[in-house]
Amino acid sequence: MDVAVVVLYLAAMIAFGFWGRRRTTDRTDFLVAGRRLGLWLYSGTMAAVVLGGASTIGGVGLGYQYGLSGMWLVVAIGSGILVLPLAFSGRIQRLGVFTVGQMLELRYGTGLGAPSGIVMWAYTLMLAVTSTIAYATIFGVLLDLPRVPSILIGGAVVVVYSTLGGMWSVTLTDFVQFLIKTVGIFLVLLPVALWRAGGWDGLVAAVPADALSLTSIGGGTILTYFVTYGFGLLIGQDIWQRVFTARSPGVARWAGFGAGLYCLAYGVVGALIGTAAQVVVPGLDSRDDAFAAIVEAAMPPVLAGLVLAAALSAVMSTSSGALLATATVFDQDLLGALRRRRGAAVGAADPAHDELSGNRWAVAAFGVVMVGIACLLRDVVAALTLAYGILVGGLLVPVLGGLLWRRATRAGALAAMGTGTVVTLATMLALGDLYANEPVFAGLGTGLVAFVVVSLATRPVEADVRAGWDERVGAAAGRD
């Protein structure tokens, strides 16, 4: 029965891919769902894309190791989703672009799309790979399959429906995945796990005292989570691409705020389930086995299938969103830089280039790359940590600085991007520890200094670039 539930779920995801294909007629439909998502679809897809395998399987694992303090990773993610709509979504939603790199070129002038695109492309690809590897845990439990066949099955489904309908397919599947995830995690796994642990009183009596502390994971780790993941979500292409799908700044703001609150609750629930797993399935060799182990130990048939489908939903929503973001950055920022040499405006379609076909081929090609790397790579946490470190260290200051400070210049943005990236990587190498707290702080600090000093020392942005930016931001504000 469990297998039947998950097989039915996978078939439904492919069916939604064909449905999304029918709604996709041009590049805007494929990349940003026609920029016309309403409140419910937008909130569901935003919550789904940020809560993937790391938030679900990883969040329960952190709860298994640290107790309630394991919630901070997902809470940091939720904080980023809360800040984005309140502070920035209204400004960026109506810029008429498809990528963060295109926003930088509108704000500062040409020449920033390609270098920022390289950093963003590496980040989104590693995010997609990390999510894809999580299929090994789910199908390993469900079908007793080895690692590589599990990755191939899950990855193939994601590649098929993402290629067929782009953002429309991803949106429709994300919304269904959001519903399944909510039922499976909040309404099924949490109460059953607490019941099997003896209820709240039994749980409190059975676990060590520090399992109920909110700070046992360490203050430095909590701060690093907020800087790396909270700030990272403010500028990630996979998140911005969802903002571009909203039909109005109001939808982006309020539905995004609701998605952020949902993420905070998800973090607390995951940590509670992991804490209960300390009692139900003690002595696991790896904390990342906690999710699958408690499902096996606590769930009867059919319910176990529903919970595994919920975990699969979490992984697929992030995997498909990151895959689409990877292809979008490559086609719009990297290949787009070559096309724009012919004089096309930032974000404009090139009549000589078949945009819809090109984007479909990019998704399919990077889907194959994503699955291939996932089959080969083992230390994905290190790879993702590296990608997030470079993203935050190199791009946070130019992006947020461009949104908040009128005196910021193109030279200052390039200086911050280069300095932040180099210092982040150099500090990681010097310490010999990808997980250290210092690299991202060093990259941010030196990047900010370079940004301010170089911007003040160079001429302001050209008048026509400034006027174009003001016109687009003003248009966005007028629709708010």
Side-chain angles (χ1 to χ4, degrees), residues 1-18:
M1 291 297 295
D2 294 342
V3 173
V5 170
V6 174
V7 169
L8 180 63
Y9 166 79
L10 294 175
M13 294 301 100
I14 294 177
F16 277 117
F18 283 100

Side-chain angles (χ1 to χ4, degrees), residues 8-25 29-30 156-177 316 320 356 360 363:
L8 180 63
Y9 166 79
L10 294 175
M13 294 301 100
I14 294 177
F16 277 117
F18 283 100
W19 186 7
R21 181 181 175 87
R22 294 177 59 187
R23 304 194 66 165
T24 301
T25 59
D29 283 335
F30 190 85
V157 172
V158 168
V159 172
V160 167
Y161 75 68
S162 300
T163 302
L164 284 170
M167 185 59 84
W168 269 120
S169 294
V170 171
T171 296
L172 294 170
T173 54
D174 273 2
F175 190 74
V176 174
Q177 289 160 353
M316 283 190 164
S320 59
L356 182 55
R360 276 207 173 101
V363 170

Side-chain angles (χ1 to χ4, degrees), residues 26-333:
D26 58 21
R27 175 182 66 156
T28 302
D29 283 335
F30 190 85
L31 296 182
V32 290
R35 304 186 193 275
R36 58 181 186 269
L37 295 191
L39 186 71
W40 293 107
L41 276 179
Y42 181 88
S43 59
T45 191
M46 179 62 84
V49 72
V50 298
L51 297 175
S55 300
T56 304
I57 297 172
V60 171
L62 287 171
Y64 186 80
Q65 181 173 357
Y66 297 106
L68 294 183
S69 187
M71 72 179 185
W72 288 112
L73 171 64
V74 184
V75 168
I77 290 171
S79 70
I81 298 303
L82 281 174
V83 171
L84 179 65
L86 293 179
F88 303 113
S89 289
R91 287 179 127 186
I92 66 177
Q93 188 269 337
R94 289 294 185 184
L95 289 176
V97 297
F98 297 101
T99 68
V100 176
Q102 289 174 348
M103 168 263 164
L104 289 172
E105 293 211 332
L106 279 175
R107 171 60 180 83
Y108 296 110
T110 59
L112 289 177
S116 66
I118 293 171
V119 175
M120 193 66 73
W121 175 83
Y123 155 73
T124 55
L125 179 60
M126 291 316 305
L127 181 61
V129 168
T130 305
S131 299
T132 302
I133 289 176
Y135 300 131
T137 299
I138 299 168
F139 288 114
V141 172
L142 184 67
L143 304 175
D144 196 26
L145 285 177
R147 179 176 180 275
V148 171
S150 297
I151 291 171
L152 292 175
I153 292 171
V157 172
V158 168
V159 172
V160 167
Y161 75 68
S162 300
T163 302
L164 284 170
M167 185 59 84
W168 269 120
S169 294
V170 171
T171 296
L172 294 170
T173 54
D174 273 2
F175 190 74
V176 174
Q177 289 160 353
F178 167 74
L179 296 177
I180 294 173
K181 190 186 318 184
T182 300
V183 173
I185 301 300
F186 283 83
L187 303 182
V188 177
L189 183 55
L190 175 62
V192 171
L194 289 176
W195 172 68
R196 289 295 301 269
W200 178 253
D201 291 338
L203 179 65
V204 170
V207 298
D210 63 354
L212 303 178
S213 167
L214 295 181
T215 58
S216 60
I217 198 171
T221 298
I222 295 171
L223 179 61
T224 300
Y225 282 160
F226 276 92
V227 172
T228 303
Y229 296 102
F231 283 152
L233 285 167
L234 289 179
I235 59 172
Q237 171 66 28
D238 51 324
I239 308 304
W240 277 44
Q241 201 158 343
R242 289 306 201 283
V243 175
F244 298 146
T245 66
R247 70 183 176 204
S248 71
V251 168
R253 177 178 295 112
W254 297 114
F257 183 75
L261 292 178
Y262 179 91
C263 293
L264 297 182
Y266 200 89
V268 175
V269 167
L272 279 172
I273 293 170
T275 306
Q278 294 182 17
V279 180
V280 180
V281 285
L284 296 177
D285 293 332
S286 171
R287 71 186 187 194
D288 289 337
D289 294 335
F291 183 91
I294 196 169
V295 171
E296 281 190 300
M299 293 286 135
V302 180
L303 284 183
L306 177 61
V307 173
L308 288 171
L312 194 58
S313 297
V315 174
M316 283 190 164
S317 58
T318 300
S319 181
S320 59
L323 172 60
L324 185 60
T326 301
T328 302
V329 169
F330 182 80
D331 188 75
Q332 298 296 310
D333 289 338

